[in-house]
Amino acid sequence: MRLHYLQHIPLENPGSILAWAKERGHSLSHTFFFDGEPLPELQDFDWLVIMGGPMNIYEEERYPWLAAEKELIRQSIEAGKVLLGICLGSQLIADVIGGKVTTNKQPEIGWFPVYFHQEAREDPLFSVFPEEPVVFHWHYDTFSVLPEEAQVYAYSAACKHQAYVYRGRVFGFQFHLENTAELLQGYIAESGNELNKADYVQTAAELIAHPEYLVRNNEWMAAFLTRLEEKMNRGEL
């Protein structure tokens, strides 16, 4: 399988997803927008992973490549590719499929549980998650409106929409399961000034206090991706 990922800033790479792909023997390619790298051709990949970043989906004047990225996302969906959007990536997909991305009522930064709707509980792909998994968040915006064809699968206390599935092969996660200890330290080093304690914003000390959370998040991500790959191999996507 050929996995291509779109990375917006040097820090925010796919983390444990890269390790999973290498362990499974999949080929990896990427577009580093911060280095001006070109987008791939549709025939060059099977899965497209769209990472996060500090920019917003509507900042096309400041980040001109956003328009081309959205067009690639649109073409990939129409071509029947498997897509996974994380944080900003999930918001970009939501915008492309006719949803709306707006500022959330409050920022959500830190380790907080998400809760799954019944549709997710009945989906074998999502049965890898426990009842109330504690996952990592760092976002200000959210996909507040989604088209009818998209199923909202999860929510949190701070954010109504945390995950969705579109056409059975397009997945958006507002939260991060791919983080590594290195990524987490990088976020704190680059954006620690945003960690002003609030109802849904934790301190730097709280972010690094639970290394076991990283392990569990990576395990859930790997299990989800493996089940998704197996489903694709069975021709069920």
Side-chain angles (χ1 to χ4, degrees):
M1 187 182 73
R2 302 163 301 166
L3 186 153
H4 189 90
Y5 61 95
L6 307 178
Q7 187 172 331
H8 304 103
I9 60 174
L11 169 63
E12 202 155 347
N13 66 60
S16 69
I17 297 175
L18 299 178
W20 172 86
K22 292 174 182 176
E23 289 173 3
R24 303 286 291 185
H26 302 317
S27 66
L28 285 164
S29 58
H30 56 70
T31 297
F32 291 164
F33 289 109
F34 51 88
D35 277 343
E37 291 184 349
L39 290 168
E41 299 294 330
L42 285 175
Q43 65 267 22
D44 293 337
F45 64 91
D46 304 303
W47 287 18
L48 185 65
V49 176
I50 307 109
M51 295 308 302
M55 60 285 299
N56 296 312
I57 63 107
Y58 42 79
E59 292 187 284
E60 293 181 6
E61 289 190 9
R62 185 175 180 184
Y63 304 100
W65 42 260
L66 277 170
E69 181 179 17
K70 291 178 187 178
E71 179 59 21
L72 175 67
I73 291 171
R74 184 191 67 77
Q75 292 178 6
S76 298
I77 293 172
E78 293 304 316
K81 305 290 185 180
V82 171
L83 279 75
L84 172 62
I86 297 173
C87 203
L88 172 65
S90 67
Q91 296 167 7
L92 286 165
I93 295 172
D95 181 65
V96 168
I97 64 177
K100 183 179 292 185
V101 176
T102 58
T103 302
N104 198 41
K105 290 182 178 180
Q106 59 272 312
E108 189 175 26
I109 304 175
W111 297 102
F112 300 103
V114 293
Y115 310 93
F116 289 103
H117 294 294
Q118 186 60 34
E119 293 87 347
R121 290 293 168 204
E122 296 172 356
D123 188 331
L125 289 175
F126 284 79
S127 64
V128 302
F129 294 100
E131 192 69 25
E132 297 178 6
V134 175
V135 298
F136 189 78
H137 309 260
W138 196 312
H139 70 104
Y140 295 87
D141 287 355
T142 181
F143 36 87
S144 55
V145 178
L146 290 166
E148 288 186 6
E149 199 174 349
Q151 293 179 291
V152 178
Y153 265 22
Y155 64 97
S156 69
C159 186
K160 183 179 179 181
H161 294 162
Q162 283 285 353
Y164 63 84
V165 178
Y166 180 72
R167 295 187 179 179
R169 64 174 65 90
V170 179
F171 304 88
F173 292 166
Q174 183 63 72
F175 47 88
H176 297 263
L177 298 175
E178 79 288 354
N179 279 342
T180 61
E182 181 181 18
L183 281 170
L184 193 55
Q185 291 289 354
Y187 296 149
I188 293 170
E190 287 198 6
S191 303
N193 61 307
E194 300 176 28
L195 300 175
N196 300 311
K197 181 68 174 176
D199 288 345
Y200 298 104
V201 178
Q202 295 177 340
T203 65
E206 289 174 306
L207 296 191
I208 63 174
H210 295 282
E212 72 277 12
Y213 288 169
L214 286 172
V215 174
R216 292 172 191 163
N217 279 211
N218 291 174
E219 289 174 347
W220 297 329
M221 176 59 86
F224 171 82
L225 294 174
T226 298
R227 290 197 177 189
L228 182 59
E229 178 193 0
E230 292 171 347
K231 189 173 184 179
M232 183 185 73
N233 290 339
R234 293 193 301 266
E236 297 175 0
L237 291 180

